Amino acid sequence: MTNNALSDPLVIAGKTYRSRLLTGTGKFKDLDETRLATEAAGAEIVTVAIRRTNIGQNPGEPNLLDVLPPDRYTLLPNTAGCYTADDAVRTCRLARELLDGHKLVKLEVLGDQRTLFPDVVQTLAAAEILVKDGFDVMVYTSDDPILAKRLEEIGCVAVMPLAAPIGSGLGVQNKYNLLEIIENAKVPILVDAGVGTASDAAIAMELGCDGVLMNTAIAGARDPILMAHAMKLAIEAGRAAFKAGRIPRKRYASASSPVDGLIG
């Protein structure tokens, strides 16, 4: 798969990546497990919850950058835990300050603590401010095709619709909305949230998604490092299947061997 991956890269904000699996850094038991799972996933982009993770703002405490150094990984600061556009914008600006002018961010503005669905009104407002402020915005949103297109038009460098609620593990719940988003997009579309196991990731990729971002599905598994490896393979298999083109679905059988020229 290596050669195919190199010839079929993921491009976000002008930068090329071999891996289409993006991983989170929360919920692991410690930083060592975070490092091992990230390596097993083959991830090159890793999300960092600025409000919950020490990347230098708390001197003397364990620092994520010690195990996931920025010269090896593209850090994707995210606004997890933000419920207003103002909070999300402030968090992104803090990340830019902590990471010496870093521009790539993951925007998420949540609507409520029970569902963790995105507040799309606040998300749109924050996206407009951040794009004008020079950020490269990857945005978490609902699986609404109209909203996804609007976020692209604002200038977001990637749109990240949910497959299902955050941490639910339900997998892709609305294939048709995702297909509509993918088929009309001019920026990368990555599934974000709701993946539970490897087959969920493969389905997202077979639909034509450019990548998948996940955290709970790996960190919450009985063996996070083994699950990270499984997700890596699923992403690669799903992308290859999408590129190969599946056979049409039929109601009846179709012989796999030709009937012409049968002997006897």
Side-chain angles (χ1 to χ4, degrees):
M1 183 64 196
T2 303
N3 290 335
N4 288 337
L6 289 172
S7 63
D8 181 33
L10 171 64
V11 181
I12 296 177
K15 187 171 179 179
T16 298
Y17 301 94
R18 292 169 296 174
S19 174
R20 293 176 178 272
L21 174 57
L22 291 68
T23 57
T25 54
K27 301 186 178 180
F28 293 100
K29 67 180 182 181
D30 53 36
L31 289 181
D32 191 51
E33 185 176 76
T34 305
R35 175 183 63 82
L36 291 171
T38 304
E39 291 174 351
E44 295 173 285
I45 302 176
V46 293
T47 64
V48 181
I50 295 299
R51 288 186 158 199
R52 301 168 181 164
T53 307
N54 180 36
I55 58 171
Q57 66 269 47
N58 299 314
E61 295 184 9
N63 189 329
L64 181 72
L65 303 187
D66 291 336
V67 296
L68 300 178
D71 60 350
R72 181 176 175 185
Y73 297 96
T74 293
L75 299 180
L76 182 60
N78 70 58
T79 60
C82 292
Y83 289 85
T84 68
D86 287 344
D87 280 350
V89 170
R90 189 179 306 114
T91 300
C92 288
R93 288 172 175 164
L94 172 62
R96 183 167 61 184
E97 182 176 333
L98 289 169
L99 296 171
D100 298 323
H102 187 86
K103 293 170 56 179
L104 187 67
V105 294
K106 178 196 166 189
L107 170 64
E108 60 178 76
V109 186
L110 303 178
D112 65 73
Q113 294 185 1
R114 185 178 69 86
T115 65
L116 299 182
F117 280 131
D119 182 325
V120 296
V121 175
Q122 293 292 305
T123 297
L124 283 166
E128 288 185 342
I129 294 170
L130 290 169
V131 169
K132 288 178 181 177
D133 199 17
F135 285 93
D136 293 325
V137 180
M138 300 175 66
V139 59
Y140 165 68
T141 182
S142 64
D143 59 359
D144 180 341
I146 304 302
L147 181 62
K149 196 63 182 177
R150 177 65 181 134
L151 289 164
E152 177 187 319
E153 291 168 349
I154 285 173
C156 294
V157 298
V159 177
M160 308 174 73
L162 53 79
I166 292 174
S168 68
L170 291 172
V172 177
Q173 291 298 295
N174 197 330
K175 295 180 182 178
Y176 301 104
N177 274 24
L178 279 181
L179 280 171
E180 186 69 18
I181 292 170
I182 292 163
E183 290 173 356
N184 289 283
K186 296 180 181 177
V187 298
I189 302 298
L190 298 91
V191 154
D192 179 13
V195 168
T197 191
S199 58
D200 298 331
I203 287 170
M205 296 304 295
E206 288 171 7
L207 288 171
C209 289
D210 295 285
V212 178
L213 189 154
M214 65 182 77
N215 184 195
T216 306
I218 293 175
R222 186 169 61 249
D223 185 334
I225 297 161
L226 183 58
M227 183 60 82
H229 176 66
M231 292 297 189
K232 177 180 184 290
L233 299 178
I235 294 290
E236 292 179 352
R239 179 64 179 179
F242 170 72
K243 297 280 286 186
R246 65 157 293 137
I247 63 170
R249 290 180 172 87
K250 300 176 182 178
R251 291 183 60 195
Y252 304 105
S254 177
S256 59
S257 299
V259 295
D260 295 337
L262 290 178
I263 298 173

